[in-house]
Amino acid sequence: MADDDEWKKLPTVEKCIHKSWKARVEGYEEAIKEFTKLKNNPGSNEFSKYLGSIKKFVIDTNANAQEKGCEAVLSFLEHGDCAKKAVREVVSGVVAKGLNGKPKTKDTCGKIVLMCVEIEQVVDAREEILEGFKSRQPKVVAAAVNIVTQCLNQFGSKVFPIKPLIQKDLLKPVLEHKDGKVRDEAKALVTEMYRWIGDMLPKLLTTLELKDVMLKELEEEWSKTEKGIPERYTRTEQKKMEEMEEMEEEEGGGDEADGETSKEVEEVEDLDPYDLADPVDILKKLNKDVPDFHAKMVDKSWKIRKEALDALLPLAENTIKIEPSHDFGSVVTPLAKIIAKDTNIVVCQLAAKCLAGIAKGLRKSYGNYAKETIISCLAKYKEKKATVVAILSDCIDSAMDSTQLANVSEHVIESLKDKNPAIRQETTNFCTRIFGRSKANALPKSVMKALCPALKNLLDDSVGPVRDAAAQALGTATKVVGEKFMSEYVADLDAIKKGKVTDAFEKAEVKFPYGAKGPAKTAAPPKAAPPTKAKVESPKKEAPKTETKKGPPGKKPPAKKGGAKKPPKKEASGGKSQAQLDSEEVTEPELTEDQVDDAAAELLTSDIVSGLGNANWKVRLEAVQNFSSKLDGMDGKANVQALIQLLNRKPGFKDNNAQVLGEKFKIAEKTSTKAKFNKRTADYILAGGVEKIGDIKLKGQIFQTFFMIAETISLNFTSANVFEYASKQKSPKIHIEVLNWLSEALKLFGMKIKLKSHMKYLRTCVESPNAQIRGAAMELIKTLAMYSGGAISSAFSDVSNKNTLSQIEAAVENGKGEKPPPPSRGAKSSGNAEDGGDEEEAEVEEDGGMELEDLIDRKDVSTDLDRACESINSGAWKERVAALESIQNVLNSSQNIKSDLSSDFLAGIKGRLSDNNMAVKLKALAVMNLLGKALGPGTKKHKELMCLLFPLLGDSKKHIQAQVVECLDIWCEHITIRPLLTDENLIAPSTDNNPNLRNALFTWIKDQIVKTKIPPRLPKELNLVVPGLYKSLEDRNPDVRKSAQNCLPYIMAHVGYAGMVSKLESLDQKSKQTVQDLLEKNKEQAEALAPAKPKPKAPVKKAEPAKTPKKEKIPDRDIDTKTFKKSPKPSKVKSMKSPVMSEQEENSEPEAPVKKAPKKGGLGKKPAAAAAGASGKRKKEEDDVESPLKPNDKKSQRFKDENNLKILKWNFKVPREEYNEQLQTLMEPCCSPAFLAKLFHDDFKQHNEALKILIGIIPTHLPEIKQSLDLILKWISLRFFDTNTSVLLNSLDFLSKCFTALVGADYMLVEQEASAFMPYLVTKLGDSKEPVRKSVNGLFNELIYIYAASRIFTFLSDGLKSKNSRQRTGILEQLTKLISERGVSVCQPNPRKAFEYIAEFIGDKDTSVRTAALNCIVAGWNYIGDDVYKMCGRLNNKDMGMLEERVRRSGKRVDTSSKAKES
């Protein structure tokens, strides 16, 4: 036993290497104590004794001893100077034995490596720990990767460089390791790299050739990261920070936040991926992939040239750093030649992209080839396509990075004088970009003296964009080289040109402004910045000086001395509007030091001023108390801002003595009651108060000070800035007290904050790891819920932590059940305002609740939706379903989305809602349901999607109908029924022949009228639904009748009984009596449901007299019904009214005036009484209405002008504005001004009025109509492109009545008249609305009597090219009628070609098109017999079989001779 204890007598060094593990454990423990004692003497020789054996501590064979040994090594590295010599062998031991030990040992090994980095032995530590990546044991690899991640996380990429980590044989194996833990750690490492170098990492990872799945997983992790900030510092950095702290303490205290911020700015600096990447020899790869590259580059075929460039492009673009040792002239020269001379634009674009990639990869080494590239790009700027110009600009900019402007200035000046304006413009833009990123010394005076005159000359260019570009270039140059130099070229310009250059100067963004020491991007040190909303630092003495020195050239520095002594009269908060006071921005200028000193000298003694900055706290306390007593005696005209700026001088509101600070905040509270207290003054106090609000001794006084500021200015300004400053603090106490303060403030002031500006900080507190901060945040949410109800919870819907989310829901539930206390305090400014201060406060309070929708963070998923719907139009229904399921997944993952959806996505959804496959249609319906929920208010932008749901109501299955109704309710929640009525979207479904659709529709309309808040009535367009309602009241289906009867009183409540009765005219006598009885039966219920309360209030409003007498309205309506003196009887004009127009005339409110109109005299009755109450202007208007069309004889001249191309040919797919303008100009001599205004008004209702007038004058003004028929038909063709159904129906009604009149007058259309509208009329054969198609078919029956049938055949045949199957069917049916009635002689250009073309549609995928095509050919067979088969050309067996079968079934042929006699 004695022998066993002999080791206890040994010295510590020998115990540490003893064979007994117990001896080693005791030796390690003694070594730790010894190292700790020597921490103040790191150079002691005692440390050197352990150098030879320190590695054995880590690789101890006994697990318990190894654990203690690692702790000893950590202490050794931490305290000994000589430890740096042992880093390599220690870390190698960690990798060899430590990382597969016990968990505690592993953790200590990680700390050992971190300590090696801290003592600045990064290279040795990194090289050895990276060996662990190659270990065969997965747990060792995982631990090694984890340690590297910790090093990067804690020290940052500057201390622990990333470049050595991105190696293909190092990083790729761990990312693709078969062990899951290793892969997870490797992903964490790559994610940590992304935190430090950001978007340049994906470029660096391209060299690893990772799988797409891996890259996708990494990108998902990257999206959750934030910018990296070092958490730990090396010994050298620690010493520097200590020295800075000592210097600040010697100066009387410093701004810790400033130090931290500046440190962060220093540490977090973007790295250049070019420096991290290894050079790649792309020419070697190119020669290997495309051996004959140079031969292909000069080949005559553009496809072969493109093939060569396609091979080069990925090498040039995807290579970050190109090996510069080769001669690239053999590649650059052909590429530059292609850019300059190649006629194929695709090849030119590829060449420019290749050169841009090579220039970026070579950088300065590209200088030898830059001139050649720039010359070629300048010459190619003649191309006007924006995509080509953008590619050329990227290429020329990349080349310019490798050379100086002096080397290419001659060629640039030549391009500035080029004849082509596009070249001049883009060359000028190129100059602007050069100026914006260059230093002044990179723009020699010799070059600028040659360049500026050329740019100046372009200010007089004949092309506007060139002039603007020149002004921009001169303004940018002024900002870089200085106004003094540029004055020679700008001074003698006229005022307009000089103004443009000045504006460009002020807006120019340059990297190196004139006079600045560094790039403009670099943020100024925080100490130099004034205390604005965006900063958390307190105001500094140096702030105004910094503003003066570094302000933009166009702004004047703050005035000295007397400049701010006399503030504006409205500086007092009581003179500002509530909106100004609620604004979170500080607009008042900061006073200079001289101004503060002047104000202090007037109000305070020199002892007080000097005492405020004394190092002795007792002296400061006495000075502050004297300051307070002086303030009591000051009047309301005292310069409060100057006093608070004086009080804020060091140590200011960061004073370490609580008594002194307490007195200062009392002074701040007193000053807030003074008349000249402004936002700038409040900002100083808020910045200092937030930092000290966590002090229990000062909390109460700071609360009261903040309350007083809120009372003087506004609660919204105070709370928003308090939150902004608090967001930069780290102390939990500050966050807790800030949240508590706002909770208390809301109860005192009421809901007078704008939630949106407060939510970012509140969300941060809600997700804080500190339980007390979360508790305070929940209390604030509870208070907010008292005022805004449960809607506040929607702002936190995307919180990921379920426990936190449940706490939020509980807080909201508790809050919304409580009644908020009445406000006991309020902003003085509101109380003092004489006109509506309370109303303004109410608006602010209301805004707080109304902006809850804005708080929802909506995601932009348009790209994801576009990607998901790629196969939505596939021919295979399963692929369409799969695409819709992908869309569902996107919408399920993003509960709230933005309303910016692409046209491709919308078109895809529209197509699937009308899909023939029921499974696809149901899936599309489910997508619509999700889409409506995700869009929220954004559904208003996509109302046309909702309208496509109405046809789905016609499904006979009840469960599908229920799904459609549910979806309609979701969409209508935000859209409401009102726009559906005003835009006439309910007309077509209400008159549909499907009883199931009308049954569900009228039930839904009734429910929506009940649910919708309607002030006071629904729009008058509701009466357009009445014809469909009457149709349903007599339907054979009892369910349809029941739903229509249930809906009847609700519609009558808004349309009015008289309005409903007026619609009975369209019914036959029997139906009229039936519906009349139902109206009488429901009249009382409708009156009870009518929104009559707001109606009596209308006359009381002051706006009533402004409407002028209603007498003016009465003749207008009278004119509508009895407009023209030439009409034999008013009843005849009335009979010509369009049904839709009569609907618009009828409205419940003006019913009485319409009845009284005849008593007050229509045109021609009691003229003396009418003249007595009408003005001259009124008479003129009536005269205009009476003669809307004027006689003219310019029709033949118009035809000549169109044939000679003096005016635009009336030929378009979609009418452009210039067609509309041309037609208006041509119609001016033909129409009265009032009628012309109706024709070209933006409101569709005016178009309806114009059409009604045209219909009414057909019997009386037919000669005038003939003289202007070509113009009227052109105007009608424009109406075919309108989306309003009533305008379209009225247009067709006019054409029908007009053609009937023309037939009676034996008038034949000329070619110019027919071509003005026939191509567009043909398209309406494919309209989705049955009433429209029916009217168009009727028009073709009349057209045959006023226009050649063969020409009609030609127009119809041209329309067969349409993709609309309904249109193709309608055209083929019309062709069948023509052939049946007029024979095959109408076929153009000849029967053979006509039937051969028609036969192509026998194989159409649409059944109705095939049927119509077969019927058309059968009509021809009736005349020419079996010869029709030869004329049909070569048909496949299937089509020929179908045709023969149809001919066989058609029966006997007609007697062509008798047909000929009849014709």
Side-chain angles (χ1 to χ4, degrees):
M1 192 72 180
D3 292 338
D4 292 341
D5 293 339
E6 283 184 4
W7 54 265
K8 292 185 178 180
K9 302 175 184 178
L10 297 173
T12 304
V13 178
E14 294 184 15
K15 285 181 184 178
C16 291
I17 57 175
H18 199 275
K19 63 182 180 179
S20 171
W21 69 271
K22 293 182 180 179
R24 295 198 300 276
V25 169
E26 186 170 326
Y28 297 151
E29 290 174 346
E30 290 177 1
I32 293 171
K33 293 177 183 178
E34 187 176 343
F35 297 153
T36 306
K37 288 179 183 178
L38 295 171
K39 64 181 179 181
N40 294 327
N41 186 17
S44 174
N45 291 330
E46 292 297 320
F47 288 106
S48 58
K49 295 178 182 178
Y50 294 89
L51 283 174
S53 58
I54 195 72
K55 180 179 179 180
K56 296 179 181 178
F57 291 18
V58 183
I59 61 174
D60 201 303
T61 54
N62 185 279
N64 295 326
Q66 186 186 26
E67 184 179 318
K68 281 293 178 186
C70 289
E71 291 176 6
V73 171
L74 181 61
S75 182
F76 174 76
L77 293 168
E78 183 179 1
H79 299 119
D81 280 348
C82 64
K84 295 178 181 180
K85 301 177 182 178
V87 166
R88 188 175 286 275
E89 58 183 14
V90 166
V91 179
S92 66
V94 165
V95 173
K97 201 77 182 285
L99 297 182
N100 56 2
K102 295 164 68 176
K104 189 174 180 181
T105 304
K106 257 196 233 183
D107 185 54
T108 309
C109 287
K111 294 178 181 178
I112 288 172
V113 179
L114 290 171
M115 184 55 67
C116 293
V117 177
E118 183 178 318
I119 62 175
E120 300 171 7
Q121 300 301 303
V122 180
V123 177
D124 291 345
R126 184 186 65 235
E127 289 178 358
E128 293 298 332
I129 196 66
L130 290 180
E131 291 296 319
F133 283 38
K134 303 172 184 176
S135 175
R136 294 183 179 180
Q137 300 181 51
K139 63 179 180 179
V140 173
V141 179
V145 176
N146 179 264
I147 290 172
V148 173
T149 305
Q150 290 183 52
C151 292
L152 187 56
N153 175 271
Q154 297 197 23
F155 291 97
S157 58
K158 281 203 164 187
V159 174
F160 199 87
I162 291 175
K163 182 180 178 181
L165 306 179
I166 304 177
Q167 299 178 27
K168 191 171 183 179
D169 58 342
L170 190 70
L171 195 56
K172 184 177 181 179
V174 294
L175 282 169
E176 298 177 352
H177 203 280
K178 61 183 179 181
D179 187 86
K181 289 184 178 179
V182 176
R183 292 197 303 274
D184 291 342
E185 292 293 348
K187 290 177 190 175
L189 173 59
V190 177
T191 303
E192 188 62 36
M193 292 179 187
Y194 186 83
R195 290 182 65 223
W196 294 96
I197 61 175
D199 293 335
M200 63 183 72
L201 181 61
K203 296 180 181 179
L204 297 174
L205 292 181
T206 54
T207 58
L208 301 185
E209 299 176 0
L210 298 176
K211 296 178 180 177
D212 292 339
V213 177
M214 176 62 68
L215 289 172
K216 188 175 180 181
E217 291 176 3
L218 291 172
E219 287 172 359
E220 290 176 0
E221 294 297 323
W222 293 343
S223 62
K224 305 173 186 176
T225 60
E226 296 179 356
K227 191 70 175 177
I229 298 174
E231 299 175 2
R232 191 167 171 178
Y233 303 99
T234 61
R235 293 288 171 84
T236 303
E237 290 173 332
Q238 291 174 18
K239 286 179 182 178
K240 288 181 181 179
M241 292 172 68
E242 289 172 4
E243 290 173 1
M244 289 175 65
E245 289 175 4
E246 289 175 3
M247 290 173 64
E248 288 176 353
E249 288 175 4
E250 290 174 1
E251 292 175 1
D255 191 342
E256 295 177 7
D258 285 350
E260 290 174 6
T261 307
S262 61
K263 187 68 182 175
E264 289 174 11
V265 172
E266 180 185 352
E267 292 294 335
V268 185
E269 184 178 334
D270 288 339
L271 300 178
D272 189 347
Y274 191 82
D275 297 332
L276 300 176
D278 293 321
V280 177
D281 190 348
I282 65 168
L283 291 185
K284 185 177 180 181
K285 289 186 176 182
L286 180 65
N287 293 330
K288 183 179 178 182
D289 296 342
V290 190
D292 54 346
F293 173 78
H294 296 287
K296 287 185 175 182
M297 288 282 285
V298 295
D299 196 277
K300 292 182 179 180
S301 172
W302 70 271
K303 292 183 179 179
I304 295 178
R305 298 198 300 276
K306 180 178 179 295
E307 181 184 338
L309 293 171
D310 285 336
L312 174 60
L313 185 60
L315 294 174
E317 284 191 333
N318 299 333
T319 306
I320 299 173
K321 191 173 186 178
I322 297 175
E323 176 60 52
S325 58
H326 297 286
D327 179 15
F328 280 83
S330 59
V331 175
V332 172
T333 300
L335 290 175
K337 188 176 180 181
I338 286 175
I339 293 174
K341 298 183 179 180
D342 204 304
T343 55
N344 189 288
I345 200 63
V346 176
V347 177
C348 290
Q349 286 177 301
L350 286 173
K353 287 180 181 179
C354 291
L355 281 181
I358 294 171
K360 291 172 185 176
L362 289 174
R363 291 205 177 177
K364 292 298 179 185
S365 302
Y366 192 77
N368 296 332
Y369 321 110
K371 186 175 181 179
E372 190 176 4
T373 303
I374 292 170
I375 293 171
S376 300
C377 290
L378 290 174
K380 200 64 176 179
Y381 268 144
K382 61 186 178 183
E383 291 291 338
K384 295 181 180 179
K385 291 184 180 179
T387 52
V388 179
V389 171
I391 293 170
L392 290 173
S393 297
D394 181 46
C395 179
I396 199 171
D397 290 349
S398 302
M400 194 63 209
D401 288 339
S402 62
T403 188
Q404 297 293 326
L405 181 59
N407 298 334
V408 294
S409 59
E410 293 179 6
H411 304 284
V412 171
I413 294 171
E414 286 178 12
S415 295
L416 290 173
K417 299 175 182 177
D418 196 276
K419 294 179 180 179
N420 191 316
I423 293 178
R424 296 199 301 273
Q425 180 184 345
E426 293 305 328
T427 305
T428 309
N429 291 337
F430 171 56
C431 293
T432 304
R433 296 195 297 273
I434 295 174
F435 298 155
R437 63 189 183 187
S438 301
K439 293 182 181 179
N441 57 12
L443 303 173
K445 290 184 178 181
S446 57
V447 174
M448 295 302 290
K449 284 181 179 179
L451 198 57
C452 288
L455 291 171
K456 181 181 176 182
N457 291 337
L458 293 180
L459 291 173
D460 297 318
D461 198 276
S462 59
V463 180
V466 177
R467 295 195 299 272
D468 295 340
Q472 186 66 36
L474 289 171
T476 307
T478 306
K479 204 160 193 173
V480 178
V481 300
E483 296 179 63
K484 184 178 179 181
F485 176 82
M486 292 297 294
S487 61
E488 179 182 348
Y489 308 101
V490 179
D492 58 341
L493 295 174
D494 59 55
I496 297 175
K497 294 173 185 174
K498 189 180 291 184
K500 284 186 176 182
V501 175
T502 304
D503 290 343
F505 166 77
E506 291 174 353
K507 296 175 183 178
E509 296 180 2
V510 300
K511 193 173 182 181
F512 302 97
Y514 181 73
K517 295 181 179 179
K521 287 183 181 178
T522 307
K527 289 185 180 181
T532 62
K533 174 173 103 65
K535 302 288 181 182
V536 300
E537 297 82 1
S538 301
K540 295 292 171 189
K541 182 175 179 180
E542 297 85 338
K545 294 180 181 178
T546 307
E547 275 190 18
T548 305
K549 288 181 180 179
K550 295 191 178 181
K555 295 185 179 180
K556 295 179 181 180
K560 296 283 182 180
K561 291 202 173 183
K565 279 186 179 179
K566 191 175 181 181
K569 292 180 181 178
K570 290 189 179 180
E571 189 171 356
S573 60
K576 295 184 178 180
S577 69
Q578 189 65 35
Q580 289 173 314
L581 296 172
D582 284 330
S583 172
E584 298 152 26
E585 296 181 0
V586 179
T587 55
E588 294 83 1
E590 189 165 0
L591 301 180
T592 64
E593 294 299 307
D594 292 340
Q595 290 172 331
V596 174
D597 292 338
D598 290 347
E602 292 177 7
L603 304 172
L604 304 173
T605 63
S606 58
D607 294 339
I608 295 177
V609 175
S610 60
L612 291 173
N614 197 291
N616 190 323
W617 70 270
K618 293 181 180 180
V619 176
R620 294 201 304 277
L621 179 61
E622 184 181 356
V624 173
Q625 289 171 343
N626 292 335
F627 190 127
S628 181
S629 60
K630 285 275 187 183
L631 189 64
D632 293 335
M634 294 179 189
D635 58 13
K637 297 181 180 179
N639 193 335
V640 175
Q641 182 178 340
L643 297 178
I644 293 298
Q645 278 192 235
L646 177 67
L647 203 64
N648 195 43
R649 286 181 178 174
K650 290 184 179 179
F653 289 109
K654 295 189 177 182
D655 202 303
N656 294 323
N657 188 281
Q659 288 179 268
V660 177
L661 267 182
E663 290 294 330
K664 286 187 177 183
F665 283 112
K666 286 180 183 178
I667 293 173
E669 184 181 356
K670 288 180 183 179
T671 58
S672 65
T673 62
K674 300 295 180 182
K676 292 189 176 182
F677 188 84
N678 56 28
K679 289 184 177 181
R680 174 68 66 183
T681 309
D683 198 52
Y684 291 130
I685 301 168
L686 297 175
V690 168
E691 292 191 14
K692 298 296 181 180
I693 201 170
D695 192 328
I696 194 170
K697 298 177 184 177
L698 300 170
K699 180 180 74 171
Q701 180 59 52
I702 293 174
F703 270 36
Q704 292 304 318
T705 304
F706 286 2
F707 289 150
M708 191 59 71
I709 293 173
E711 204 165 1
T712 305
I713 299 180
S714 77
L715 178 61
N716 186 65
F717 168 81
T718 308
S719 58
N721 283 279
V722 166
F723 270 28
E724 185 66 33
Y725 289 128
S727 66
K728 309 297 182 180
Q729 301 297 326
K730 295 182 178 179
S731 171
K733 291 182 180 179
I734 292 177
H735 298 299
I736 293 166
E737 297 304 336
V738 162
L739 294 168
N740 291 338
W741 172 81
L742 185 55
S743 295
E744 190 173 338
L746 290 173
K747 294 173 184 177
L748 293 174
F749 290 83
M751 189 66 178
K752 294 190 175 69
I753 64 169
K754 295 181 179 178
L755 281 173
K756 191 170 185 179
S757 55
H758 295 71
M759 288 307 299
K760 183 179 179 181
Y761 175 70
L762 182 55
R763 285 178 63 90
T764 304
C765 294
V766 163
E767 296 174 346
S768 171
N770 188 300
Q772 290 179 305
I773 296 177
R774 290 200 307 275
M778 297 305 165
E779 191 62 32
L780 176 56
I781 291 173
K782 177 183 174 182
T783 306
L784 291 170
M786 284 198 302
Y787 293 94
S788 60
I792 187 68
S793 60
S794 60
F796 302 96
S797 58
D798 56 343
V799 173
S800 56
N801 192 306
K802 293 183 179 179
N803 293 332
T804 304
L805 199 57
S806 61
Q807 290 176 6
I808 293 171
E809 291 172 356
V812 171
E813 285 297 322
N814 293 335
K816 71 179 183 181
E818 295 184 17
K819 185 178 180 180
S824 58
R825 302 180 74 161
K828 292 180 178 179
S829 58
S830 302
N832 295 336
E834 293 180 1
D835 50 351
D838 293 336
E839 292 179 7
E840 288 176 346
E841 288 184 9
E843 287 175 8
V844 176
E845 184 170 352
E846 189 177 324
D847 288 343
M850 289 180 67
E851 66 169 349
L852 285 172
E853 175 58 35
D854 296 337
L855 302 181
I856 298 174
D857 185 18
R858 296 194 174 275
K859 298 179 181 177
D860 185 1
V861 296
S862 57
T863 306
D864 297 333
L865 291 175
D866 289 345
R867 192 182 300 116
C869 70
E870 286 178 353
S871 58
I872 198 169
N873 295 317
S874 171
W877 70 270
K878 291 185 178 180
E879 292 184 7
R880 299 199 296 275
V881 170
L884 291 168
E885 287 175 348
S886 301
I887 295 171
Q888 277 184 300
N889 295 334
V890 174
L891 295 175
N892 282 324
S893 61
S894 305
Q895 296 180 353
N896 302 305
I897 66 173
K898 292 183 179 178
S899 58
D900 300 327
L901 304 176
S902 70
S903 57
D904 292 340
F905 171 76
L906 295 174
I909 295 296
K910 289 176 184 177
R912 301 294 66 77
L913 285 172
S914 57
D915 201 285
N916 294 328
N917 188 291
M918 183 54 68
V920 177
K921 192 180 293 185
L922 290 176
K923 186 63 71 174
L925 186 60
V927 168
M928 283 290 291
N929 198 315
L930 287 174
L931 189 62
K933 294 176 182 176
L935 285 171
T939 51
K940 296 176 184 177
K941 289 180 65 176
H942 305 291
K943 179 172 67 67
E944 70 279 1
L945 277 182
M946 178 186 175
C947 298
L948 295 174
L949 294 171
F950 290 121
L952 301 182
L953 289 170
D955 198 287
S956 59
K957 300 180 182 66
K958 294 295 181 184
H959 70 280
I960 295 179
Q961 270 194 0
Q963 291 179 39
V964 178
V965 170
E966 180 189 358
C967 193
L968 281 170
D969 289 343
I970 291 170
W971 279 75
C972 203
E973 182 180 351
H974 295 284
I975 295 175
T976 72
I977 196 173
R978 183 175 293 274
L980 298 176
L981 295 171
T982 55
D983 293 344
E984 304 181 4
N985 299 118
L986 296 178
I987 297 176
S990 68
T991 57
D992 196 273
N993 291 328
N994 189 325
N996 295 321
L997 191 155
R998 282 182 282 119
N999 176 26
L1001 178 69
F1002 285 114
T1003 303
W1004 181 81
I1005 289 176
K1006 186 203 78 172
D1007 294 340
Q1008 289 302 317
I1009 294 176
V1010 172
K1011 286 191 291 186
T1012 307
K1013 296 178 181 178
I1014 303 160
R1017 289 180 181 274
L1018 282 172
K1020 62 182 180 181
E1021 284 81 4
L1022 180 61
N1023 61 16
L1024 300 177
V1025 183
V1026 174
L1029 180 69
Y1030 287 168
K1031 179 180 178 181
S1032 300
L1033 287 172
E1034 295 187 291
D1035 198 272
R1036 290 181 297 176
N1037 190 309
D1039 292 332
V1040 178
R1041 293 198 303 272
K1042 184 178 179 181
S1043 64
Q1045 289 170 10
N1046 291 337
C1047 187
L1048 176 62
Y1050 292 92
I1051 292 180
M1052 196 195 307
H1054 295 275
V1055 174
Y1057 177 77
M1060 299 291 285
V1061 170
S1062 67
K1063 300 296 178 185
L1064 296 173
E1065 295 177 3
S1066 60
L1067 304 178
D1068 57 44
Q1069 193 60 36
K1070 183 180 178 182
S1071 301
K1072 186 183 295 186
Q1073 187 59 45
T1074 305
V1075 177
Q1076 178 74 44
D1077 294 341
L1078 288 171
L1079 293 178
E1080 291 290 343
K1081 181 180 177 182
N1082 289 276
K1083 184 176 180 181
E1084 292 184 5
Q1085 184 183 356
E1087 290 175 351
L1089 293 170
K1093 288 185 180 180
K1095 200 170 183 179
K1097 295 181 182 179
V1100 180
K1101 292 184 179 179
K1102 293 181 180 179
E1104 181 65 23
K1107 292 182 180 177
T1108 61
K1110 285 191 175 180
K1111 293 179 182 178
E1112 292 196 8
K1113 286 189 177 180
I1114 296 166
D1116 288 344
R1117 290 194 176 271
D1118 195 28
I1119 288 167
D1120 288 342
T1121 57
K1122 304 175 184 178
T1123 303
F1124 311 104
K1125 294 179 181 177
K1126 295 182 182 180
S1127 300
K1129 289 183 182 180
S1131 59
K1132 288 187 177 181
V1133 180
K1134 187 175 181 181
S1135 66
M1136 293 180 185
K1137 286 183 183 178
S1138 164
V1140 181
M1141 290 312 302
S1142 62
E1143 289 165 7
Q1144 291 190 347
E1145 284 185 345
E1146 299 294 344
N1147 196 9
S1148 58
E1149 292 181 357
E1151 286 165 13
V1154 173
K1155 291 180 182 177
K1156 293 180 183 178
K1159 294 181 182 180
K1160 295 190 178 181
L1163 298 176
K1165 288 187 179 183
K1166 295 185 181 180
S1175 64
K1177 182 179 179 182
R1178 165 86 174 281
K1179 289 180 181 178
K1180 185 179 178 181
E1181 289 176 0
E1182 289 180 358
D1183 292 340
D1184 289 340
V1185 176
E1186 288 171 8
S1187 54
L1189 288 180
K1190 300 177 182 178
N1192 72 90
D1193 55 355
K1194 297 181 179 179
K1195 182 192 283 191
S1196 58
Q1197 184 61 42
R1198 290 195 296 270
F1199 293 163
K1200 288 179 182 178
D1201 290 344
E1202 188 167 358
N1203 290 334
N1204 296 331
L1205 301 179
K1206 291 184 179 180
I1207 59 176
L1208 291 173
K1209 280 275 189 182
W1210 199 257
N1211 184 15
F1212 47 76
K1213 290 184 179 179
V1214 177
R1216 300 192 300 273
E1217 184 61 29
E1218 56 200 59
Y1219 284 100
N1220 196 49
E1221 293 172 355
Q1222 173 181 285
L1223 182 58
Q1224 186 172 1
T1225 304
L1226 292 174
M1227 292 188 78
E1228 281 179 4
C1230 309
C1231 305
S1232 66
F1235 183 61
L1236 188 70
K1238 289 180 182 293
L1239 289 173
F1240 293 95
H1241 201 282
D1242 290 336
D1243 189 357
F1244 74 90
K1245 297 177 184 177
Q1246 295 295 324
H1247 295 161
N1248 276 330
E1249 292 290 334
L1251 286 164
K1252 185 170 68 170
I1253 292 172
L1254 284 172
I1255 292 171
I1257 66 173
I1258 289 173
T1260 57
H1261 290 68
L1262 190 59
E1264 288 85 350
I1265 290 177
K1266 290 179 185 177
Q1267 291 171 346
S1268 303
L1269 186 59
D1270 59 319
L1271 301 177
I1272 295 173
L1273 292 176
K1274 286 180 179 180
W1275 184 82
I1276 292 290
S1277 69
L1278 294 179
R1279 303 287 69 80
F1280 290 161
F1281 292 90
D1282 289 349
T1283 56
N1284 188 277
T1285 309
S1286 64
V1287 174
L1288 181 56
L1289 289 172
N1290 284 337
S1291 300
L1292 297 173
D1293 189 22
F1294 163 74
L1295 289 176
S1296 177
K1297 289 180 170 59
C1298 181
F1299 290 168
T1300 302
L1302 293 174
V1303 170
D1306 294 330
Y1307 182 86
M1308 293 297 290
L1309 293 178
V1310 298
E1311 184 64 25
Q1312 288 86 346
E1313 291 171 339
S1315 61
F1317 82 104
M1318 279 287 289
Y1320 315 107
L1321 181 66
V1322 169
T1323 62
K1324 289 302 166 184
L1325 285 168
D1327 196 278
S1328 58
K1329 303 173 189 66
E1330 185 179 355
V1332 175
R1333 297 198 301 275
K1334 187 175 180 181
S1335 298
V1336 175
N1337 283 316
L1339 283 176
F1340 276 102
N1341 294 336
E1342 297 173 5
L1343 264 171
I1344 200 168
Y1345 298 107
I1346 59 174
Y1347 191 54
S1350 58
R1351 291 297 297 143
I1352 296 175
F1353 190 99
T1354 302
F1355 281 117
L1356 288 169
S1357 299
D1358 291 341
L1360 284 172
K1361 300 172 184 177
S1362 171
K1363 294 181 180 179
N1364 185 336
S1365 60
R1366 199 182 289 114
Q1367 179 177 330
R1368 296 197 301 275
T1369 303
I1371 291 172
L1372 288 167
E1373 289 173 352
Q1374 285 297 327
L1375 292 177
T1376 303
K1377 287 182 183 178
L1378 281 175
I1379 295 172
S1380 300
E1381 294 177 4
R1382 298 300 176 98
V1384 295
S1385 60
V1386 300
C1387 298
Q1388 296 297 320
N1390 55 61
R1392 177 178 293 279
K1393 290 186 178 180
F1395 283 116
E1396 184 177 2
Y1397 184 43
I1398 293 170
E1400 293 177 7
F1401 296 93
I1402 298 175
D1404 197 279
K1405 62 181 180 181
D1406 190 273
T1407 307
S1408 58
V1409 177
R1410 294 198 299 270
T1411 303
L1414 289 169
N1415 291 339
C1416 189
I1417 296 175
V1418 168
W1421 178 83
N1422 286 332
Y1423 282 93
I1424 59 177
D1426 292 341
D1427 289 343
V1428 77
Y1429 296 126
K1430 299 176 182 178
M1431 293 183 180
C1432 289
R1434 293 184 179 181
L1435 295 177
N1436 58 47
N1437 294 335
K1438 180 181 177 182
D1439 293 349
M1440 181 59 76
M1442 291 170 63
L1443 178 57
E1444 290 174 348
E1445 179 65 20
R1446 183 59 58 90
V1447 168
R1448 185 180 64 80
R1449 291 183 181 182
S1450 67
K1452 297 180 180 179
R1453 290 173 54 197
V1454 298
D1455 187 353
T1456 56
S1457 60
S1458 62
K1459 273 279 182 185
K1461 289 178 183 178
E1462 290 176 9
S1463 60

